[in-house]
Amino acid sequence: MTGVNEVRPDQLLPPRAGRPARRIIDVRAPREVAKGALPGALPLPILSDDERDAVGARYAQEGQDAAVEEGRIRTQADMPRRVRAWRQAAEGQPSAFMCWRGGMRSELAQRFTAPPQVPRVAGGYKAVRAHLVASLAPSLARRTAWVVTGPTGSGKTELLHAAMSLPSLLVLDLEGAAGHRGSTFGADGPQPAQATFEHRLALPLLLGREETVLLEDESRNVGRLHLPEAVYEVVRRAPLLVLEDDLDARVRRIHRDYALAPARRDGEAATLAALAASVRRLRRRLGAEPTERMVAALEDAHAQGAWDDPEAFRGVIEPLLHDYYDPLYRKATPADGRTVLARGTREELLAWLNG
């Protein structure tokens, strides 16, 4: 039974509401949030990681009262600042405190800030996560699903982002949520925790009002993360929109996304090393000699100051497409009996989606 100053996950995240009913003030320690964050939640911990470790050790040795005293001593100097942050977060909009299980930490945050009367999430993060995970399959089942497919470099992510402006569609960017482009060359940086990835998919599906969901064709794994089973089944079975583009455009797009943008962020030398390592991971598929030719082409582009020139990368990108990615695409889809709703360029598919 929910207490008078608690809110249940289903009240906090009402289906088809567009957004959560309350701002979630997450008072868990940073290490806990890193293992499973909720989109839109505001992380304002009551204990730092080191403080939580010390309190937990004291609890194991001497029990709850001693642990509470340990926490009081360790946080008393900074607690006024933390309380001000909680108050500011709760001003002007309904809010709720959330800790791991809806217990002592969120209750303490309530006491420190009262008034106003800010409820805590009944069951805490564990209950919210369970609610989101359970919502995935029914949230997908109540929608029509379409999947964008097309060869590597055809611009599927660009199409998804452009389609986000269409009010009739809920677009799920699986690669964006996973922080990975879904290929050997796809790392965009550290990926989130598996739980965070799942929440990024479940929350818009639960809250959204749209009747159609649009996703990109993906394998079961996106980098080191895996698609939830309900999402993977939709990706595997839903009707297809086939995106087409010519080879030159694909080469330019791949150069921009995988060579130019990372080099501007991380530097050419670091990007060269990362790309060469990725190419060499395909050595068994492509053969030793072709692999080393591609690595040499990367090194030449760097040495000759031609990193910004797509033509300098053609000797790398075209063999990868011809000998590796395009055969994988032809093998996987769409020649597997699935319905093809439409095919064409980005502009043609956007017109079809908006029709």
Side-chain angles (χ1 to χ4, degrees):
M1 182 175 178
T2 304
V4 293
N5 207 17
E6 291 182 320
V7 58
R8 299 191 310 266
D10 63 306
Q11 297 170 320
L12 181 68
L13 306 172
R16 310 187 195 195
R19 60 184 178 85
R22 294 177 181 270
R23 163 181 274 180
I24 301 172
I25 303 173
D26 191 341
V27 298
R28 295 178 298 153
R31 189 185 303 139
E32 295 173 285
V33 175
K35 293 179 180 178
L38 295 174
L42 186 62
L44 293 173
I46 195 169
L47 296 172
S48 68
D49 289 332
D50 290 343
E51 290 164 350
R52 182 172 178 269
D53 290 343
V55 169
R58 188 79 181 273
Y59 179 88
Q61 294 168 359
E62 302 178 48
Q64 180 171 303
D65 290 344
V68 171
E69 178 63 13
E70 182 74 23
R72 185 190 68 79
I73 293 170
R74 287 181 174 270
T75 62
Q76 61 183 350
D78 193 48
M79 189 53 70
R81 181 195 63 80
R82 299 180 197 189
V83 172
R84 285 196 301 272
W86 295 332
R87 287 185 180 278
Q88 290 171 0
E91 284 178 358
Q93 61 183 307
S95 302
F97 288 116
M98 183 186 73
C99 63
W100 181 250
R101 294 187 181 90
M104 182 175 295
R105 285 181 288 175
S106 53
E107 183 181 356
L108 284 171
Q110 287 179 303
R111 292 179 185 176
F112 280 127
T113 54
Q117 294 296 314
V118 178
R120 56 179 167 167
V121 179
Y125 164 82
K126 291 189 71 176
V128 174
R129 170 159 172 73
H131 180 64
L132 285 173
V133 170
S135 75
L136 257 175
S139 293
L140 286 165
R142 66 179 172 87
R143 290 181 166 92
T144 298
W146 298 330
V147 170
V148 175
T149 190
T152 298
S154 57
K156 296 184 288 293
T157 299
E158 293 174 10
L159 173 61
L160 289 178
H161 289 179
M164 288 178 181
S165 64
L166 301 178
S168 59
L169 289 175
L170 172 61
V171 177
L172 284 189
D173 182 358
L174 302 179
E175 293 181 351
H180 197 281
R181 292 184 180 275
S183 74
T184 303
F185 300 83
D188 285 337
Q191 289 190 267
Q194 176 68 32
T196 300
F197 174 53
E198 293 170 3
H199 301 157
R200 290 176 178 177
L201 304 181
L203 192 64
L205 283 166
L206 176 64
L207 299 180
R209 298 183 175 93
E210 303 88 349
E211 295 182 356
T212 303
V213 60
L214 186 67
L215 312 90
E216 182 178 345
D217 202 7
E218 283 292 344
S219 61
R220 186 179 293 272
N221 295 318
V222 188
R224 63 170 178 79
L225 303 178
H226 61 269
L227 294 182
E229 190 63 29
V231 177
Y232 180 63
E233 282 303 305
V234 167
V235 169
R236 196 164 67 92
R237 298 177 184 276
L240 299 171
L241 305 178
V242 181
L243 180 60
E244 299 171 335
D245 209 345
D246 61 49
L247 180 60
D248 286 345
R250 294 168 64 197
V251 168
R252 290 193 299 271
R253 187 175 289 113
I254 291 170
H255 168 257
R256 180 197 67 197
D257 292 345
Y258 293 91
L260 199 56
R264 289 173 176 169
R265 182 186 66 230
D266 305 324
E268 276 189 27
T271 304
L272 168 62
L275 289 176
S278 295
V279 169
R280 286 185 169 122
R281 281 196 290 271
L282 299 175
R283 186 185 185 96
R284 292 182 62 185
R285 297 282 190 96
L286 300 175
E289 185 177 344
T291 297
E292 292 309 313
R293 281 202 304 269
M294 285 186 274
V295 171
L298 292 171
E299 293 170 342
D300 287 345
H302 176 61
Q304 295 172 12
W307 199 265
D308 290 356
D309 183 4
E311 290 303 312
F313 284 77
R314 191 173 289 272
V316 181
I317 297 171
E318 284 195 2
L320 283 171
L321 293 177
H322 183 268
D323 297 327
Y324 182 65
Y325 283 108
D326 285 357
L328 284 179
Y329 169 70
R330 287 192 295 268
K331 181 178 178 181
T333 186
D336 56 2
R338 292 165 67 181
T339 301
V340 175
L341 297 175
R343 63 172 67 242
T345 65
R346 181 179 64 175
E347 291 72 21
E348 289 169 339
L349 291 186
L350 281 173
W352 187 90
L353 288 166
N354 200 32

